Amino acid sequence: MTKAKTKGQKRRARKQVGKRALQDRWSTFASASPRPQEDPRRVVLSARCRHLGRPDNASNRRAMTWEGLGDPVGQAIHVGARDAAERDDLWGLFKCLDSAHEVYSRRIIGQARHPRCAKIEFLTERFETRPDDKPDLRTDAERDADARADWSRWCRLMSSCNIGHRIALHDALWLRCEFVSGGRLTAAGRDMISALRELRSLVV
């Protein structure tokens, strides 16, 4: 029967293990840890394929990586655009319109447009600056004034569209309609794409 080690013996045994041996042990442990064998985005990309009525294969999943496909309006633009150039153009236009509406809602009205249904926790990221960073040095009053001016400009542009297109644009901003169903544009989706094309022709 082996004699139980005292605390002092255990302490001395630990001291006998050098730093290099501990580093080798940690390296072995790190190399033996399991690593993911498949793309961690696959679940999301597969869901986009199903939503747009595409077969879930590698080729279609690669096509689903476009940034706009994470948004219902972006999905409609992806389906309804004539080519990639028009797709990117309409998506860039809608992002500017949507951003102006969001900033106006938060700064001037004082509330978010859409309810918060979930909170996703993120790990704290390192904060750093770069030589090409452009910090926003505006005062709160200047930011409020810019938010009003920007949204007023978009309202003037939308008021030049026909009434059906104005409704379609507000449907897109508030996500009041389903724009894609079974991989095809709905009537609301077609109206929204037509409205964005008219709005694009008015933007100087």
Side-chain angles (χ1 to χ4, degrees):
M1 184 174 180
T2 58
K3 198 174 182 180
K5 292 184 179 180
T6 63
K7 290 184 179 179
Q9 290 173 335
K10 292 179 181 178
R11 195 182 306 115
R12 284 191 294 273
R14 284 197 298 269
K15 287 183 178 180
Q16 291 174 358
V17 179
K19 293 181 180 179
R20 192 176 300 278
L22 286 175
Q23 187 176 6
D24 293 340
R25 188 183 302 174
W26 292 335
S27 299
T28 303
F29 177 78
S31 61
S33 59
R35 296 181 181 178
Q37 299 298 319
E38 63 179 22
D39 189 346
R41 304 173 301 170
R42 179 165 183 167
V43 174
V44 174
L45 299 179
S46 296
R48 291 179 181 180
C49 288
R50 290 192 301 271
H51 188 73
L52 295 179
R54 307 277 182 86
D56 184 8
N57 54 45
S59 176
N60 285 332
R61 283 195 297 272
R62 282 194 298 271
M64 294 296 109
T65 56
W66 180 61
E67 62 164 328
L69 290 173
D71 186 272
V73 175
Q75 292 174 358
I77 292 173
H78 180 77
V79 173
R82 298 186 182 98
D83 52 33
E86 186 186 50
R87 178 196 67 181
D88 294 339
D89 198 14
L90 294 180
W91 176 240
L93 175 70
F94 179 75
K95 284 197 298 183
C96 292
L97 172 64
D98 189 62
S99 176
H101 190 216
E102 174 67 19
V103 172
Y104 180 83
S105 297
R106 288 185 179 275
R107 295 199 66 87
I108 308 305
I109 298 177
Q111 64 181 18
R113 295 176 299 168
H114 307 295
R116 295 181 179 179
C117 56
K119 181 180 179 182
I120 302 176
E121 298 290 347
F122 293 95
L123 293 175
T124 304
E125 296 183 359
R126 184 174 59 184
F127 181 79
E128 58 185 13
T129 59
R130 301 181 319 198
D132 60 340
D133 282 341
K134 296 180 180 179
D136 189 352
L137 303 178
R138 296 175 299 168
T139 64
D140 285 342
E142 290 172 337
R143 294 183 188 189
D144 290 345
D146 289 343
R148 289 191 183 95
D150 197 18
W151 179 238
S152 296
R153 171 178 170 269
W154 284 108
C155 287
R156 288 193 298 271
L157 290 171
M158 288 190 290
S159 67
S160 300
C161 300
N162 66 60
I163 183 63
H165 285 173
R166 291 202 298 271
I167 294 173
L169 290 170
H170 282 282
D171 286 342
L173 290 171
W174 292 101
L175 299 178
R176 294 187 295 210
C177 301
E178 186 178 15
F179 303 112
V180 177
S181 179
R184 296 184 178 181
L185 290 175
T186 62
R190 289 191 294 271
D191 291 342
M192 188 266 295
I193 296 295
S194 179
L196 285 175
R197 285 171 177 156
E198 183 181 4
L199 183 63
R200 181 183 58 178
S201 69
L202 298 172
V203 175
V204 178

